[in-house]
Amino acid sequence: MRRLLRALAATGLLVSGSLVAVALGGNASADTQICEQYGSTVIGNRYVVQNNRWGTSAQQCINVTDTGFEITTQNGSNPTNGAPTAYPSVYLGCHYTNCSPGTNLPIQVSQISSATSSITYRYVSGAIYNASYDIWLDPTPKTDGVNQMEIMIWLNRQGPIQPIGSPVGTATLAGRTWEVWRGSNGSNNVISYVAPSPITSLNFSVLDFITDVRNRGAITNSWYLTSIQAGFEPWQGGVGLAVTSFSAAVNGGGTPPPTTPPPGTGCAVTYTPNSWNTGFTADVRITNTGSGTVNGWTLTYQLPVGQQVTNSWNATVSQSGSTVTARNLSWNGTIAPGGSASFGYQGTLSGAYASPTSFTLNGVPCAAA
C-alpha cells in the first residue's frame, strides 16, 4: 500500500484520506493461498506475508509456505514507465498498523546495536520485475501510513525499469558495489541500491545500509526503523517468483556515534536571517573558538513562536515544538580550532519575526556572535 501512495503522489492523484490495511491474519500452514487484494498471514509466529496488490485490478495470488511465498497468479500488466502492479512481500515490523508478532519495531536508530537479515529468491524469465528489499524509517515511531524515508535494495532488475530519482554514485556494502539512486516520489524520499547483476541470496547487515543513508544526511540517529520487507515489484508477468526463505533480527542496546564537545565554552554561533510576511530563511555559522577539534556536532536552540522549519541545506534540521536540532552531514562534522561550519534553512512565519538568542553545541552553551 505504500507503493499506492507513491504512485498516486507521482501522478498528482493523491488526495486526503486513508487506506485501510487488512487485519493481521492467523499463522500460516504450508501451502496457504492468498488472493485477497491486501490479504496477509503470519509465518513462523514472527513475520507477516502480504499479497499487497495495489497497482492493478487484475487478480494476483500468492502461495505462502512456512518460510516464504510464491506468486502463483499474476494477471496484471502495467507500463514500464509507471508504477508496478503490486508488492507481495514478507516483513518484520509494522506496515499500516499491521505489526508482526512480538516485534520490537519501531526502534530508534541510536538504540540499534545490530540489524541483520538473510533472504533467498527464486527468479523466472520472461517477466518484468524487481526483487526489492525495503527498509522503512521515520522521524517518529509511527506504525501507520507512509514513512518519510524508504531504502530500497534492488537485488534483481529485469526489463526497462529503474529506481526513483537519478544515480548519485556507488557504495560498497554487504561485500558488493551498488549503484546508488536518490529521489522522491512525492510522498517520501527514496535511496536505492541497485545490484549490477542478479543476486539470488544475501546474508547482510541491514544496519550498514541504514548507516550509509545516515551518512548521506538523509536521516539522523533520532529517526526510527519501522519495518524491513522483502519481495517483488512485478510490472508484467511474474508467476513463479518466490521468496524461499527470509529471516531478520533487530537488536537494541546501541549508542549514537560519539561527538566531541567544544573545550569549555569555546564556540560561537552567528545567525543571519532574512524574513518576509509569511516566511524566512536563516544562515547559521558555528565557529570553534576553543583549542580542541569538534568531531561531530549537534546544535540545538529554540525558535520563537510562529516559526516552522520547512527545508534545510548542509545539515539535517528537525523541529519538535519550538526546539530545533541541527546535525552535521557526513562531510562537515569536523570543526578545527578557529574553523567553522555553516548550514541554512527556510521556514514559514506567522506574526512578527524574531531570531533565537541562545544556542547549545553538543550540550555546551555557545556565545551568540
Side-chain angles (χ1 to χ4, degrees), residues 46 52 62 70 86-87 89-90 116 126-127 161 208-209 222 225 250 271 284 305 316 318 330-331 338 348 351 354 363:
R46 180 171 174 81
N52 202 14
I62 58 175
E70 177 184 353
Y87 183 45
S89 53
V90 54
T116 57
I161 55 175
D208 286 351
F209 286 86
S222 66
L225 171 64
V250 179
Y271 192 92
V284 186
V305 174
T316 300
S318 59
S330 60
W331 52 269
T348 58

Side-chain angles (χ1 to χ4, degrees), residues 215-228:
N215 291 341
R216 295 174 186 272
I219 65 167
T220 71
N221 280 316
S222 66
W223 283 46
Y224 291 82
L225 171 64
T226 65
S227 70
I228 48 181

Side-chain angles (χ1 to χ4, degrees), residues 62-136:
I62 58 175
N63 185 62
V64 183
T65 69
D66 57 358
T67 59
F69 68 91
E70 177 184 353
I71 300 176
T72 55
T73 303
Q74 175 53 268
N75 294 326
S77 179
N78 283 354
T80 57
N81 61 349
T85 62
Y87 183 45
S89 53
V90 54
Y91 68 85
L92 175 76
C94 297
H95 178 97
Y96 282 80
T97 71
N98 192 356
C99 296
S100 57
T103 183
N104 61 343
L105 305 183
I107 184 174
Q108 201 162 34
V109 171
S110 64
Q111 297 304 308
I112 301 174
S113 60
S114 65
T116 57
S117 185
S118 178
I119 180 76
T120 303
Y121 289 97
R122 185 174 71 235
Y123 300 135
V124 298
S125 60
I128 297 176
Y129 64 91
N130 70 28
S132 175
Y133 194 107
D134 269 21
I135 305 166
W136 289 93

